[in-house]
Amino acid sequence: MAHCVIVGAGECGTRAAFALREKGFGGEVTLVGSEPHAPYERPPLSKAGLAGGVDPKFIASHETYPAGNIRLLTGVTTISVDAVARTIVLSDGSQLAYDRLLLATGASARNFPNAPESSHIRSLRTHYDAVTLRAILQPGRRLGVIGGGFIGLEVAATARQLGADVVLIEGLERVLKRGVPAEIAHVVAERHRAEGVDLRCGVSIESLTERNGKAVIALSTGEMIEADLALIGIGARPNVELAEATGLVIDNGIAVDDRLRTSIPDIFAAGDCCSFPLALYGGRRVRLESWRNAQQQGMLAAANMLGADEPVSAVPWFWSDQYDMTLQIAGLADGAVMHLRRDLGERAFILFHLDGEGRLIAASGIGPGNAVARDIRLAEMLIAARAHPDPAALTASNVKLKTLLAA
Ligand SMILES: Cc1cc2nc3c(=O)[nH]c(=O)nc-3n(C[C@H](O)[C@H](O)[C@H](O)COP(=O)(O)OP(=O)(O)OC[C@H]3O[C@@H](n4cnc5c(N)ncnc54)[C@H](O)[C@@H]3O)c2cc1C
């Protein structure tokens, strides 16, 4: 095999490129990315990176690519794939032949229906988006956040830290409705209120427009909210257009098997753009939007492109930073029938989520700094081991989770 081509120079594609070399692949590696920058980390865009400065946090230093003999093409989009001829066509008119192709095209921010093109109405996915957003995050300016998901809440926290006024509108009755238990979402919401965020839940938005240099958010209550910028944070959609045009099966993302193989031989997909079966949860097909998943799948895809034939086995894991709090979730909590709480000292706790048979299927925790990190890591190991821990031991803070793992 002579040439591995990776489309999408985000977290996943970049990790895959380096992993090919780490696994000893001696042929050509080409990494093609639409964005003008070398690959950078997205999580800081809503957190410290947004507050801090304008430079992206690069995944690897610029010289690492030539040093690893990785051909990095930036500012170039792959516009078509010919799966029979095994070639791709790039937006600069050039063509590349591949032996193995990895699609790591990621996701894009969802648009608000009928929102006009406006510099006052934005979403946050790229470094460019973050730079635009950063400009209005200052005292005396007002940010309207649409959606109480992770990105909206993280930006709200950063905006408050920078002194901007924030109003956050969530259509459902609480924030973080998708995948986060109510008890944790409550802590998050209360903290935002205490920090001065005007947080409104259960309010729907009639329209989002621009007037006189402001974004105008019309609520179903009749109220009009004016903001210097409205940030749309209503989730992401997988970038599947290229895969669809190639004839790949799409099912909430590019459908892959547990080896990250698509429906066409020698084309793999990984990261935010793909859905895959998770054996740990009965083979249920999921699509994750998480940094660690993008990394792990990039590395796994690289191994399987080289013939390793290894299945996806990692436990889903996600974190979010807001103010001095970190929230972490391991596993998938839906399907849980029992939620047990373990207190970990001041302002920190973990919820263990058990299914009907008493198997630990997820753990979610919140606390200052790293307070929940160690126990979430141990819970992750228990989840991977399909453990049925004693519920009394889970809630007793004096029983070390490590002992349950040994059991
Ligand atoms: C603001 C923000 C904060 C986040 N915070 C967290 C967090 O705290 N914790 C967490 O776990 N996760 C977080 N995430 C999610 C995490 O960053 C993503 O899961 C991860 O970046 C996914 O990596 P990826 O490589 O699959 O996709 P992406 O990062 O989306 O990268 C895909 C790349 O492919 C490029 N591309 C697409 N199509 C083509 C094409 N046809 N040709 C060439 N290039 C193409 C895109 O331009 C993009 O650069 C955050 C995401 C954002 C946006």
Side-chain angles (χ1 to χ4, degrees), residues 89-127:
V89 175
L90 306 182
S91 51
D92 63 4
S94 61
Q95 193 169 313
L96 291 176
Y98 68 83
D99 296 287
R100 302 273 190 283
L101 179 67
L102 171 62
L103 299 179
T105 50
S108 301
R110 254 180 226 287
N111 277 330
F112 190 86
N114 304 320
E117 275 285 315
S118 161
S119 55
H120 301 279
I121 301 174
R122 314 287 308 185
S123 50
L124 177 57
R125 183 78 196 177
T126 64
H127 173 65

Side-chain angles (χ1 to χ4, degrees), residues 7-13 32-35 42-47 76-79 104-107 124-126 151 154 239 242 270-273 288-292 294 317-321:
V7 175
E11 192 71 48
C12 179
V32 186
S34 300
E35 293 186 65
R42 280 184 217 286
L45 299 181
S46 47
K47 312 177 181 73
V76 189
T77 298
T78 302
I79 53 175
T105 50
L124 177 57
R125 183 78 196 177
T126 64
I151 290 182
E154 287 185 355
N239 293 327
L242 180 67
D272 279 19
C273 68
L288 302 176
E289 288 167 13
S290 113
W291 177 83
R292 196 165 84 181
W317 178 85
F318 185 88
W319 96 97
S320 172
D321 295 330

Side-chain angles (χ1 to χ4, degrees), residues 161-176:
Q161 284 161 334
L162 293 169
D165 292 335
V166 180
V167 53
L168 189 149
I169 317 290
E170 166 56 56
L172 300 173
E173 74 283 5
R174 70 162 170 94
V175 297
L176 298 174

Side-chain angles (χ1 to χ4, degrees), residues 9-11 14-15 18 35-45 49 54-65 72 74 127 291 295:
E11 192 71 48
T14 307
R15 301 289 169 186
F18 285 105
E35 293 186 65
H37 312 277
Y40 59 89
E41 305 282 6
R42 280 184 217 286
L45 299 181
V54 289
D55 286 333
K57 185 177 177 224
F58 292 110
I59 294 175
S61 59
H62 294 355
E63 50 300 348
T64 333
Y65 297 88
L72 171 64
T74 53
H127 173 65
W291 177 83
Q295 279 199 346

